Amino acid sequence: MHVIIETKNLTKIYGMGDARVAALDGVSIRVHEGEFVAIMGPSGSGKSTLMNILGCLSRPTSGEYFLDEEDVSGLDKVELAAIRNKKIGYIFQSYNLLSRTTALDNVILPLQYDRVTERSAEERIVLAEKVLKMVGLDDRMHHQPQELSGGQQQRVAIARALVNNPVLIMADEPTGNLDSKSGEEIMQLLHDLHGEGATIVMVTHSSEIAAHTQRTIHLRDGKLDKVVSNGKKEE
C-alpha cells in the first residue's frame, strides 16, 4: 500500500551545549494512504514538533522524512513552502482565516499560491465553491468569518485544506475551540472525508477525539511511546 508518511529516526534539537533539549529523539513512524491517525502526548512530549516537521513547517535536526515517497528532510524554506501548498491541507485549532475576507476568498487563497497548476480566476471560483458545498456551506460562501459560527469557520478552514486536493490533511486540535456539538459535527466531517479516501493525521490532547481514528501514536519525552489501535476498520 502507498506510504504517505515515513519518518526514520527523526530528531529535533533545540539549544546548544548544556541547554540542548531533544524535542524529538529518534521517532520512526509510518502512515499509509487512506489512514486516519491521531498523535497524542502530554505537554512537552514532542507532538507539536512532530506535527511541524510532518507538515513541512520545520526541518528535523537529523533523520529522514519521506512525504508521498519524496525525501523532504533537507529541503530549504522555499522548497518546503512549495511542498506544503501542493501536498498538504491544514486545519488549525484557531481556523486561521483572513478577517474581512469572504469564505469563498479564504478558500481560493491556496489556489492563488499554486505556481504549478495554471487556473483561470473563474476555475478557482468554481473549485472553491465545490469544496464549500462539500462541507455544507452553500449558503455562507459570501459571509466573512465574523459572520460565521466557530463550527462554520472550521468548515471554511476544512474547505481551504481540501481545495488543492492534497495527499495529506493535517489537523491540529481541530475541535479545540468548539463546543461539543460543533466538535462532533467537525469530527463527522473528517470521518466522511476519510471515508472518501483522505489521509488524515490529527494532533489532539483528547483521548475521546483520538478514539475516532484508526490508531493513536503516543509520544512521551520526544520518543515514540506506543501505538494503539482504536478498533476502527483499517482500510
Side-chain angles (χ1 to χ4, degrees), residues 44-68:
S45 64
K47 62 183 187 294
S48 295
T49 302
L50 180 59
M51 185 78 165
N52 285 341
I53 293 174
L54 296 182
C56 293
L57 289 164
S58 70
R59 298 192 309 182
T61 304
S62 64
E64 296 173 287
Y65 172 31
F66 294 87
L67 173 62
D68 196 24

Side-chain angles (χ1 to χ4, degrees), residues 71-123:
D71 187 354
V72 298
S73 321
L75 299 185
D76 63 29
K77 284 183 179 179
V78 174
E79 292 167 328
L80 284 176
I83 291 285
R84 277 201 309 273
N85 194 58
K86 178 181 166 192
K87 295 199 169 184
I88 301 173
Y90 274 97
I91 305 166
F92 298 96
Q93 177 177 344
S94 54
Y95 325 132
N96 285 17
L97 301 176
L98 293 179
S99 59
R100 295 187 296 282
T101 305
T102 65
L104 186 64
D105 285 336
N106 266 288
V107 174
I108 287 172
L109 203 60
L111 300 175
Q112 293 174 327
Y113 286 111
D114 184 357
R115 300 284 178 258
V116 179
T117 312
E118 291 294 327
R119 295 187 184 92
S120 67
E122 192 174 319
E123 286 172 324

Side-chain angles (χ1 to χ4, degrees), residues 102-112 119-142 155-165:
T102 65
L104 186 64
D105 285 336
N106 266 288
V107 174
I108 287 172
L109 203 60
L111 300 175
Q112 293 174 327
R119 295 187 184 92
S120 67
E122 192 174 319
E123 286 172 324
R124 291 172 186 167
I125 291 169
V126 168
L127 202 47
E129 287 177 343
K130 179 183 171 187
V131 289
L132 279 164
K133 285 175 183 171
M134 196 193 306
V135 300
L137 289 178
D138 315 42
D139 56 344
R140 291 286 188 274
M141 292 189 191
H142 301 289
R155 285 172 184 270
V156 175
I158 291 172
R160 182 185 56 192
L162 295 174
V163 75
N164 262 347
N165 193 27

